[in-house]
Amino acid sequence: EVQLVESGGGLVQPGGSLRLSCAASGFTFSGFWMSWLRQAPGKGLEWVANIKQDGSEKNYVDSVKGRFIISRENAKNSLHLQMNSLRAEDTAVYYCARGGAQFDPWGQGTLVTVSS
Amino acid sequence: QSALTQPASVSGSPGQSITISCTGTSSDVGGYNYVSWYQQHPGKAPKLMIFEVNNRPSGISNRFSGSKSGNTASLTISGLQAEDEADYYCNSYTSSRTVVFGGGTKLTVL
């Protein structure tokens, strides 16, 4: 069974940092683009970033460029999102998903709250 | 990276068909066949229902179908069932090598 499990969410002050991780199982992780997406409370879905199979290409939504870094460790079947200079508007449930532009499946999500 | 345009809400009675539209530009929906649709029930993660405009993943009912004309994609659900009540989102690949979502449509089964 394909499974994605996010971790690392929590409460952080504005300007702070947080590192999210996603553990993948049930498929050949190194063979797929992977993505992070988010959903602010009561709002719609937003794509955040994606990364190519070998990590050689990374793309970001404009609002996180220069602040967030997506990375992967194929040997550990893991996806990461380093989030720096966090803002209140980054508050959301963050999902990892298999795929670069079409996403299946999604993890259960991890909540990031940016507040003082 | 402007969001795709979806109606905020649609509704239908059990057994009826409904269609949700998703309008973008020639730089996203109109330029690529990488349009997909997701169903999200409250408190749950989204679920892929349609990929590459009109393809259903394994296990998705054939009551769900997708299409595209110009810069507008559509999701049609036939034979509406109570369990179809959920939020639906479209998304598309873009010419900037990014991904954009629609604002979401709340489907109510009357």
Side-chain angles (χ1 to χ4, degrees), chain B residues 35-94:
Chain B
V35 176
S36 49
W37 290 88
Y38 305 85
Q39 177 191 66
Q40 186 179 36
H41 286 110
K44 300 294 187 181
K47 178 181 180 181
L48 178 68
M49 305 302 285
I50 295 288
F51 68 97
E52 291 175 6
V53 176
N54 57 11
N55 293 281
R56 279 187 309 277
S58 174
I60 300 302
S61 170
N62 59 9
R63 297 187 300 105
F64 291 83
S65 62
S67 62
K68 190 181 83 167
S69 178
N71 296 335
T72 298
S74 298
L75 172 71
T76 297
I77 309 173
S78 59
L80 268 180
Q81 299 179 0
E83 68 219 43
D84 299 334
E85 185 163 293
D87 294 326
Y88 291 85
Y89 295 90
C90 63
N91 87 280
S92 175
Y93 180 72
T94 83

Short mmCIF file of all heavy atoms in Angstrom, two decimals, chain B residues 35-94:
data_model
loop_
_atom_site.label_atom_id
_atom_site.label_comp_id
_atom_site.label_asym_id
_atom_site.label_seq_id
_atom_site.Cartn_x
_atom_site.Cartn_y
_atom_site.Cartn_z
N VAL B 35 -4.38 18.60 -16.44
CA VAL B 35 -5.44 19.11 -15.57
C VAL B 35 -5.96 17.93 -14.75
O VAL B 35 -6.23 16.86 -15.30
CB VAL B 35 -6.60 19.71 -16.37
CG1 VAL B 35 -7.72 20.14 -15.43
CG2 VAL B 35 -6.11 20.91 -17.20
N SER B 36 -6.07 18.14 -13.46
CA SER B 36 -6.58 17.08 -12.60
C SER B 36 -7.63 17.64 -11.63
O SER B 36 -7.75 18.85 -11.47
CB SER B 36 -5.45 16.38 -11.85
OG SER B 36 -4.59 17.30 -11.23
N TRP B 37 -8.39 16.73 -11.06
CA TRP B 37 -9.49 17.08 -10.16
C TRP B 37 -9.38 16.27 -8.87
O TRP B 37 -9.02 15.07 -8.91
CB TRP B 37 -10.84 16.79 -10.81
CG TRP B 37 -11.18 17.70 -11.95
CD1 TRP B 37 -10.85 17.53 -13.27
CD2 TRP B 37 -11.92 18.92 -11.87
NE1 TRP B 37 -11.34 18.57 -14.01
CE2 TRP B 37 -12.00 19.44 -13.18
CE3 TRP B 37 -12.52 19.63 -10.82
CZ2 TRP B 37 -12.66 20.64 -13.47
CZ3 TRP B 37 -13.18 20.81 -11.11
CH2 TRP B 37 -13.24 21.31 -12.42
N TYR B 38 -9.71 16.91 -7.74
CA TYR B 38 -9.60 16.29 -6.44
C TYR B 38 -10.90 16.47 -5.66
O TYR B 38 -11.56 17.51 -5.76
CB TYR B 38 -8.45 16.92 -5.63
CG TYR B 38 -7.15 16.84 -6.38
CD1 TYR B 38 -6.81 17.81 -7.31
CD2 TYR B 38 -6.28 15.78 -6.20
CE1 TYR B 38 -5.65 17.73 -8.05
CE2 TYR B 38 -5.10 15.68 -6.93
CZ TYR B 38 -4.80 16.65 -7.86
OH TYR B 38 -3.65 16.56 -8.61
N GLN B 39 -11.21 15.45 -4.88
CA GLN B 39 -12.37 15.47 -3.98
C GLN B 39 -11.84 15.55 -2.56
O GLN B 39 -10.91 14.83 -2.20
CB GLN B 39 -13.19 14.19 -4.16
CG GLN B 39 -14.37 14.04 -3.23
CD GLN B 39 -14.94 12.62 -3.29
OE1 GLN B 39 -14.29 11.66 -2.89
NE2 GLN B 39 -16.16 12.49 -3.80
N GLN B 40 -12.42 16.43 -1.75
CA GLN B 40 -12.01 16.54 -0.36
C GLN B 40 -13.22 16.58 0.55
O GLN B 40 -14.01 17.52 0.48
CB GLN B 40 -11.13 17.78 -0.13
CG GLN B 40 -10.56 17.83 1.28
CD GLN B 40 -9.67 19.03 1.51
OE1 GLN B 40 -9.92 20.11 1.00
NE2 GLN B 40 -8.63 18.84 2.31
N HIS B 41 -13.32 15.59 1.41
CA HIS B 41 -14.35 15.59 2.45
C HIS B 41 -13.81 16.33 3.66
O HIS B 41 -12.59 16.39 3.87
CB HIS B 41 -14.75 14.17 2.80
CG HIS B 41 -15.59 13.50 1.75
ND1 HIS B 41 -15.13 12.46 0.97
CD2 HIS B 41 -16.87 13.74 1.35
CE1 HIS B 41 -16.08 12.08 0.13
NE2 HIS B 41 -17.15 12.84 0.34
N PRO B 42 -14.69 16.90 4.49
CA PRO B 42 -14.24 17.68 5.65
C PRO B 42 -13.28 16.91 6.54
O PRO B 42 -13.53 15.76 6.91
CB PRO B 42 -15.55 17.98 6.38
CG PRO B 42 -16.58 17.96 5.31
CD PRO B 42 -16.15 16.89 4.36
N GLY B 43 -12.16 17.54 6.86
CA GLY B 43 -11.17 16.95 7.74
C GLY B 43 -10.32 15.86 7.13
O GLY B 43 -9.52 15.24 7.83
N LYS B 44 -10.49 15.64 5.84
CA LYS B 44 -9.74 14.57 5.16
C LYS B 44 -8.77 15.15 4.14
O LYS B 44 -8.90 16.30 3.72
CB LYS B 44 -10.70 13.62 4.45
CG LYS B 44 -11.70 12.94 5.36
CD LYS B 44 -11.03 12.00 6.34
CE LYS B 44 -12.05 11.22 7.13
NZ LYS B 44 -11.39 10.30 8.11
N ALA B 45 -7.79 14.33 3.76
CA ALA B 45 -6.87 14.73 2.70
C ALA B 45 -7.58 14.64 1.34
O ALA B 45 -8.49 13.83 1.16
CB ALA B 45 -5.64 13.82 2.70
N PRO B 46 -7.16 15.47 0.40
CA PRO B 46 -7.75 15.40 -0.95
C PRO B 46 -7.48 14.04 -1.59
O PRO B 46 -6.49 13.37 -1.28
CB PRO B 46 -7.03 16.52 -1.70
CG PRO B 46 -6.58 17.46 -0.63
CD PRO B 46 -6.21 16.58 0.53
N LYS B 47 -8.35 13.69 -2.54
CA LYS B 47 -8.26 12.42 -3.26
C LYS B 47 -8.34 12.70 -4.75
O LYS B 47 -9.24 13.43 -5.20
CB LYS B 47 -9.40 11.51 -2.85
CG LYS B 47 -9.46 10.16 -3.56
CD LYS B 47 -10.66 9.38 -3.06
CE LYS B 47 -10.78 8.03 -3.73
NZ LYS B 47 -11.98 7.29 -3.25
N LEU B 48 -7.41 12.14 -5.51
CA LEU B 48 -7.39 12.34 -6.96
C LEU B 48 -8.57 11.61 -7.60
O LEU B 48 -8.74 10.41 -7.40
CB LEU B 48 -6.07 11.82 -7.54
CG LEU B 48 -5.91 11.92 -9.05
CD1 LEU B 48 -5.81 13.39 -9.49
CD2 LEU B 48 -4.68 11.14 -9.52
N MET B 49 -9.34 12.35 -8.41
CA MET B 49 -10.51 11.77 -9.08
C MET B 49 -10.31 11.68 -10.59
O MET B 49 -10.81 10.74 -11.23
CB MET B 49 -11.74 12.61 -8.78
CG MET B 49 -12.03 12.83 -7.31
SD MET B 49 -12.24 11.29 -6.39
CE MET B 49 -13.87 10.80 -6.93
N ILE B 50 -9.60 12.64 -11.17
CA ILE B 50 -9.35 12.70 -12.62
C ILE B 50 -7.95 13.24 -12.82
O ILE B 50 -7.55 14.20 -12.16
CB ILE B 50 -10.35 13.64 -13.33
CG1 ILE B 50 -11.78 13.11 -13.23
CG2 ILE B 50 -9.94 13.85 -14.80
CD1 ILE B 50 -12.07 11.87 -14.09
N PHE B 51 -7.19 12.64 -13.74
CA PHE B 51 -5.88 13.17 -14.09
C PHE B 51 -5.76 13.29 -15.61
O PHE B 51 -6.49 12.61 -16.35
CB PHE B 51 -4.75 12.31 -13.50
CG PHE B 51 -4.64 10.93 -14.09
CD1 PHE B 51 -3.73 10.65 -15.10
CD2 PHE B 51 -5.43 9.89 -13.60
CE1 PHE B 51 -3.62 9.37 -15.63
CE2 PHE B 51 -5.33 8.61 -14.11
CZ PHE B 51 -4.42 8.34 -15.14
N GLU B 52 -4.85 14.15 -16.03
CA GLU B 52 -4.63 14.40 -17.47
C GLU B 52 -5.97 14.60 -18.20
O GLU B 52 -6.25 13.93 -19.21
CB GLU B 52 -3.81 13.26 -18.08
CG GLU B 52 -2.38 13.27 -17.55
CD GLU B 52 -1.55 12.08 -18.02
OE1 GLU B 52 -2.04 11.30 -18.85
OE2 GLU B 52 -0.42 11.95 -17.52
N VAL B 53 -6.74 15.49 -17.67
CA VAL B 53 -8.01 15.98 -18.23
C VAL B 53 -9.16 15.00 -18.08
O VAL B 53 -10.24 15.37 -17.62
CB VAL B 53 -7.87 16.39 -19.72
CG1 VAL B 53 -9.22 16.79 -20.30
CG2 VAL B 53 -6.85 17.50 -19.89
N ASN B 54 -8.96 13.74 -18.51
CA ASN B 54 -10.12 12.85 -18.62
C ASN B 54 -9.84 11.40 -18.23
O ASN B 54 -10.56 10.50 -18.67
CB ASN B 54 -10.68 12.90 -20.04
CG ASN B 54 -9.65 12.54 -21.08
OD1 ASN B 54 -8.56 12.07 -20.77
ND2 ASN B 54 -9.96 12.78 -22.35
N ASN B 55 -8.81 11.19 -17.43
CA ASN B 55 -8.46 9.83 -17.03
C ASN B 55 -8.80 9.59 -15.56
O ASN B 55 -8.53 10.43 -14.71
CB ASN B 55 -6.96 9.59 -17.24
CG ASN B 55 -6.60 9.59 -18.71
OD1 ASN B 55 -6.82 8.62 -19.41
ND2 ASN B 55 -6.08 10.70 -19.19
N ARG B 56 -9.39 8.42 -15.29
CA ARG B 56 -9.76 8.06 -13.92
C ARG B 56 -8.72 7.12 -13.33
O ARG B 56 -8.37 6.11 -13.96
CB ARG B 56 -11.12 7.35 -13.87
CG ARG B 56 -12.32 8.25 -13.92
CD ARG B 56 -13.60 7.44 -13.68
NE ARG B 56 -13.66 6.28 -14.57
CZ ARG B 56 -14.09 6.30 -15.81
NH1 ARG B 56 -14.52 7.44 -16.32
NH2 ARG B 56 -14.13 5.20 -16.54
N PRO B 57 -8.24 7.42 -12.12
CA PRO B 57 -7.37 6.45 -11.45
C PRO B 57 -8.14 5.16 -11.15
O PRO B 57 -9.37 5.16 -11.10
CB PRO B 57 -6.99 7.16 -10.15
CG PRO B 57 -7.28 8.60 -10.38
CD PRO B 57 -8.43 8.63 -11.33
N SER B 58 -7.38 4.10 -10.94
CA SER B 58 -8.01 2.84 -10.58
C SER B 58 -8.86 3.01 -9.32
O SER B 58 -8.44 3.65 -8.36
CB SER B 58 -6.92 1.79 -10.33
OG SER B 58 -7.46 0.60 -9.84
N GLY B 59 -10.07 2.47 -9.36
CA GLY B 59 -10.93 2.53 -8.19
C GLY B 59 -11.90 3.69 -8.15
O GLY B 59 -12.79 3.73 -7.29
N ILE B 60 -11.76 4.63 -9.07
CA ILE B 60 -12.67 5.78 -9.12
C ILE B 60 -13.86 5.42 -10.02
O ILE B 60 -13.69 4.94 -11.14
CB ILE B 60 -11.97 7.03 -9.64
CG1 ILE B 60 -10.80 7.40 -8.71
CG2 ILE B 60 -12.96 8.20 -9.76
CD1 ILE B 60 -11.20 7.64 -7.26
N SER B 61 -15.05 5.71 -9.51
CA SER B 61 -16.28 5.37 -10.23
C SER B 61 -16.34 6.05 -11.60
O SER B 61 -15.90 7.19 -11.77
CB SER B 61 -17.48 5.81 -9.40
OG SER B 61 -18.67 5.72 -10.15
N ASN B 62 -16.91 5.34 -12.58
CA ASN B 62 -17.07 5.92 -13.91
C ASN B 62 -18.19 6.96 -13.95
O ASN B 62 -18.52 7.50 -15.01
CB ASN B 62 -17.31 4.84 -14.97
CG ASN B 62 -18.55 3.99 -14.69
OD1 ASN B 62 -19.34 4.31 -13.79
ND2 ASN B 62 -18.71 2.91 -15.43
N ARG B 63 -18.78 7.25 -12.81
CA ARG B 63 -19.73 8.37 -12.72
C ARG B 63 -18.98 9.72 -12.80
O ARG B 63 -19.61 10.75 -13.05
CB ARG B 63 -20.53 8.30 -11.42
CG ARG B 63 -21.40 7.08 -11.27
CD ARG B 63 -22.28 7.16 -10.03
NE ARG B 63 -21.53 7.26 -8.78
CZ ARG B 63 -21.41 8.39 -8.07
NH1 ARG B 63 -22.00 9.50 -8.47
NH2 ARG B 63 -20.73 8.37 -6.95
N PHE B 64 -17.68 9.67 -12.60
CA PHE B 64 -16.86 10.87 -12.65
C PHE B 64 -16.16 10.93 -14.02
O PHE B 64 -15.53 9.95 -14.44
CB PHE B 64 -15.80 10.86 -11.54
CG PHE B 64 -16.39 11.01 -10.16
CD1 PHE B 64 -16.89 9.91 -9.49
CD2 PHE B 64 -16.44 12.26 -9.55
CE1 PHE B 64 -17.45 10.04 -8.22
CE2 PHE B 64 -16.99 12.40 -8.28
CZ PHE B 64 -17.50 11.30 -7.62
N SER B 65 -16.27 12.05 -14.69
CA SER B 65 -15.62 12.22 -15.98
C SER B 65 -15.11 13.65 -16.13
O SER B 65 -15.63 14.58 -15.51
CB SER B 65 -16.56 11.88 -17.13
OG SER B 65 -17.68 12.75 -17.13
N GLY B 66 -14.07 13.79 -16.95
CA GLY B 66 -13.48 15.10 -17.17
C GLY B 66 -13.37 15.42 -18.64
O GLY B 66 -13.34 14.52 -19.48
N SER B 67 -13.30 16.72 -18.93
CA SER B 67 -13.15 17.17 -20.31
C SER B 67 -12.49 18.54 -20.31
O SER B 67 -12.31 19.16 -19.26
CB SER B 67 -14.51 17.23 -21.02
OG SER B 67 -15.35 18.18 -20.38
N LYS B 68 -12.14 19.00 -21.51
CA LYS B 68 -11.52 20.32 -21.64
C LYS B 68 -11.87 20.90 -23.00
O LYS B 68 -11.87 20.19 -24.01
CB LYS B 68 -10.00 20.22 -21.49
CG LYS B 68 -9.31 21.58 -21.39
CD LYS B 68 -7.80 21.42 -21.27
CE LYS B 68 -7.15 21.25 -22.62
NZ LYS B 68 -5.66 21.41 -22.55
N SER B 69 -12.14 22.20 -23.00
CA SER B 69 -12.36 22.93 -24.24
C SER B 69 -11.71 24.30 -24.09
O SER B 69 -12.10 25.10 -23.24
CB SER B 69 -13.86 23.10 -24.53
OG SER B 69 -14.05 23.86 -25.70
N GLY B 70 -10.69 24.53 -24.89
CA GLY B 70 -9.96 25.79 -24.79
C GLY B 70 -9.32 25.94 -23.43
O GLY B 70 -8.60 25.06 -22.96
N ASN B 71 -9.60 27.06 -22.77
CA ASN B 71 -9.01 27.34 -21.46
C ASN B 71 -9.88 26.88 -20.30
O ASN B 71 -9.59 27.23 -19.14
CB ASN B 71 -8.76 28.85 -21.33
CG ASN B 71 -7.74 29.36 -22.32
OD1 ASN B 71 -6.89 28.61 -22.80
ND2 ASN B 71 -7.83 30.65 -22.64
N THR B 72 -10.93 26.13 -20.57
CA THR B 72 -11.83 25.68 -19.52
C THR B 72 -11.91 24.15 -19.47
O THR B 72 -12.18 23.51 -20.47
CB THR B 72 -13.24 26.26 -19.72
OG1 THR B 72 -13.18 27.68 -19.64
CG2 THR B 72 -14.19 25.74 -18.64
N ALA B 73 -11.65 23.63 -18.27
CA ALA B 73 -11.83 22.20 -18.01
C ALA B 73 -13.11 22.01 -17.22
O ALA B 73 -13.59 22.93 -16.56
CB ALA B 73 -10.64 21.66 -17.23
N SER B 74 -13.65 20.80 -17.28
CA SER B 74 -14.89 20.51 -16.58
C SER B 74 -14.86 19.13 -15.95
O SER B 74 -14.27 18.20 -16.51
CB SER B 74 -16.08 20.59 -17.54
OG SER B 74 -16.22 21.88 -18.09
N LEU B 75 -15.50 19.04 -14.80
CA LEU B 75 -15.71 17.76 -14.12
C LEU B 75 -17.21 17.51 -14.09
O LEU B 75 -17.97 18.38 -13.64
CB LEU B 75 -15.18 17.81 -12.69
CG LEU B 75 -15.51 16.60 -11.80
CD1 LEU B 75 -14.71 15.39 -12.26
CD2 LEU B 75 -15.23 16.91 -10.33
N THR B 76 -17.62 16.35 -14.58
CA THR B 76 -19.03 15.98 -14.55
C THR B 76 -19.21 14.78 -13.64
O THR B 76 -18.45 13.80 -13.74
CB THR B 76 -19.56 15.65 -15.95
OG1 THR B 76 -19.47 16.83 -16.77
CG2 THR B 76 -21.01 15.20 -15.90
N ILE B 77 -20.18 14.87 -12.76
CA ILE B 77 -20.55 13.76 -11.90
C ILE B 77 -21.98 13.37 -12.25
O ILE B 77 -22.89 14.19 -12.15
CB ILE B 77 -20.47 14.13 -10.40
CG1 ILE B 77 -19.11 14.74 -10.06
CG2 ILE B 77 -20.72 12.89 -9.54
CD1 ILE B 77 -19.01 15.28 -8.64
N SER B 78 -22.15 12.15 -12.70
CA SER B 78 -23.48 11.67 -13.07
C SER B 78 -24.03 10.77 -11.97
O SER B 78 -23.27 10.24 -11.15
CB SER B 78 -23.43 10.92 -14.40
OG SER B 78 -22.54 9.82 -14.30
N GLY B 79 -25.35 10.60 -11.95
CA GLY B 79 -25.96 9.74 -10.94
C GLY B 79 -25.56 10.14 -9.54
O GLY B 79 -25.11 9.33 -8.74
N LEU B 80 -25.72 11.43 -9.21
CA LEU B 80 -25.28 11.96 -7.93
C LEU B 80 -25.71 11.09 -6.75
O LEU B 80 -26.85 10.59 -6.70
CB LEU B 80 -25.84 13.36 -7.72
CG LEU B 80 -25.01 14.56 -8.15
CD1 LEU B 80 -25.76 15.84 -7.85
CD2 LEU B 80 -23.64 14.56 -7.51
N GLN B 81 -24.78 10.92 -5.83
CA GLN B 81 -25.05 10.17 -4.61
C GLN B 81 -24.70 11.05 -3.40
O GLN B 81 -23.88 11.96 -3.52
CB GLN B 81 -24.22 8.88 -4.58
CG GLN B 81 -24.54 7.94 -5.73
CD GLN B 81 -23.69 6.67 -5.71
OE1 GLN B 81 -22.86 6.48 -4.83
NE2 GLN B 81 -23.93 5.78 -6.69
N ALA B 82 -25.30 10.72 -2.27
CA ALA B 82 -25.06 11.52 -1.07
C ALA B 82 -23.58 11.61 -0.74
O ALA B 82 -23.09 12.65 -0.29
CB ALA B 82 -25.84 10.92 0.10
N GLU B 83 -22.84 10.54 -0.96
CA GLU B 83 -21.40 10.49 -0.63
C GLU B 83 -20.56 11.39 -1.53
O GLU B 83 -19.39 11.61 -1.24
CB GLU B 83 -20.89 9.06 -0.74
CG GLU B 83 -20.85 8.50 -2.15
CD GLU B 83 -21.27 7.06 -2.22
OE1 GLU B 83 -22.26 6.69 -1.56
OE2 GLU B 83 -20.61 6.29 -2.94
N ASP B 84 -21.15 11.90 -2.60
CA ASP B 84 -20.41 12.81 -3.49
C ASP B 84 -20.33 14.21 -2.91
O ASP B 84 -19.56 15.04 -3.40
CB ASP B 84 -21.08 12.89 -4.87
CG ASP B 84 -21.12 11.55 -5.58
OD1 ASP B 84 -20.25 10.70 -5.30
OD2 ASP B 84 -22.02 11.36 -6.41
N GLU B 85 -21.13 14.50 -1.87
CA GLU B 85 -21.09 15.83 -1.27
C GLU B 85 -19.72 16.08 -0.66
O GLU B 85 -19.29 15.35 0.24
CB GLU B 85 -22.19 15.96 -0.20
CG GLU B 85 -22.29 17.36 0.38
CD GLU B 85 -23.60 17.61 1.09
OE1 GLU B 85 -24.65 17.62 0.42
OE2 GLU B 85 -23.57 17.79 2.33
N ALA B 86 -19.03 17.08 -1.17
CA ALA B 86 -17.64 17.35 -0.79
C ALA B 86 -17.20 18.63 -1.49
O ALA B 86 -17.95 19.23 -2.25
CB ALA B 86 -16.74 16.19 -1.21
N ASP B 87 -15.96 19.03 -1.22
CA ASP B 87 -15.33 20.11 -1.96
C ASP B 87 -14.53 19.50 -3.11
O ASP B 87 -13.90 18.46 -2.95
CB ASP B 87 -14.39 20.92 -1.07
CG ASP B 87 -15.13 21.68 0.01
OD1 ASP B 87 -16.27 22.12 -0.24
OD2 ASP B 87 -14.57 21.83 1.11
N TYR B 88 -14.55 20.17 -4.26
CA TYR B 88 -13.83 19.71 -5.44
C TYR B 88 -12.88 20.80 -5.92
O TYR B 88 -13.26 21.98 -6.01
CB TYR B 88 -14.80 19.31 -6.54
CG TYR B 88 -15.58 18.06 -6.19
CD1 TYR B 88 -16.74 18.14 -5.43
CD2 TYR B 88 -15.12 16.81 -6.61
CE1 TYR B 88 -17.43 16.99 -5.08
CE2 TYR B 88 -15.82 15.65 -6.26
CZ TYR B 88 -16.97 15.76 -5.49
OH TYR B 88 -17.65 14.62 -5.15
N TYR B 89 -11.66 20.39 -6.24
CA TYR B 89 -10.63 21.32 -6.69
C TYR B 89 -10.05 20.84 -8.02
O TYR B 89 -9.79 19.65 -8.20
CB TYR B 89 -9.49 21.41 -5.69
CG TYR B 89 -9.86 21.99 -4.35
CD1 TYR B 89 -10.31 21.18 -3.32
CD2 TYR B 89 -9.75 23.37 -4.10
CE1 TYR B 89 -10.66 21.70 -2.08
CE2 TYR B 89 -10.09 23.90 -2.87
CZ TYR B 89 -10.54 23.05 -1.87
OH TYR B 89 -10.87 23.59 -0.65
N CYS B 90 -9.80 21.79 -8.92
CA CYS B 90 -9.06 21.48 -10.14
C CYS B 90 -7.65 22.03 -9.99
O CYS B 90 -7.40 22.91 -9.16
CB CYS B 90 -9.72 22.08 -11.37
SG CYS B 90 -9.79 23.90 -11.39
N ASN B 91 -6.72 21.50 -10.77
CA ASN B 91 -5.40 22.10 -10.83
C ASN B 91 -4.79 21.87 -12.21
O ASN B 91 -5.24 20.98 -12.95
CB ASN B 91 -4.48 21.60 -9.71
CG ASN B 91 -3.75 20.33 -10.04
OD1 ASN B 91 -4.30 19.25 -9.96
ND2 ASN B 91 -2.49 20.46 -10.43
N SER B 92 -3.81 22.66 -12.54
CA SER B 92 -3.16 22.59 -13.83
C SER B 92 -1.68 22.88 -13.71
O SER B 92 -1.25 23.68 -12.87
CB SER B 92 -3.78 23.57 -14.82
OG SER B 92 -3.08 23.59 -16.05
N TYR B 93 -0.91 22.25 -14.57
CA TYR B 93 0.49 22.62 -14.77
C TYR B 93 0.52 23.94 -15.52
O TYR B 93 -0.42 24.27 -16.25
CB TYR B 93 1.18 21.53 -15.58
CG TYR B 93 2.64 21.76 -15.87
CD1 TYR B 93 3.59 21.64 -14.87
CD2 TYR B 93 3.08 22.10 -17.16
CE1 TYR B 93 4.93 21.84 -15.13
CE2 TYR B 93 4.41 22.29 -17.42
CZ TYR B 93 5.35 22.15 -16.41
OH TYR B 93 6.67 22.36 -16.67
N THR B 94 1.59 24.74 -15.32
CA THR B 94 1.65 26.04 -15.99
C THR B 94 2.94 26.18 -16.79
O THR B 94 3.90 25.44 -16.60
CB THR B 94 1.58 27.21 -14.99
OG1 THR B 94 2.87 27.45 -14.44
CG2 THR B 94 0.59 26.94 -13.87
#
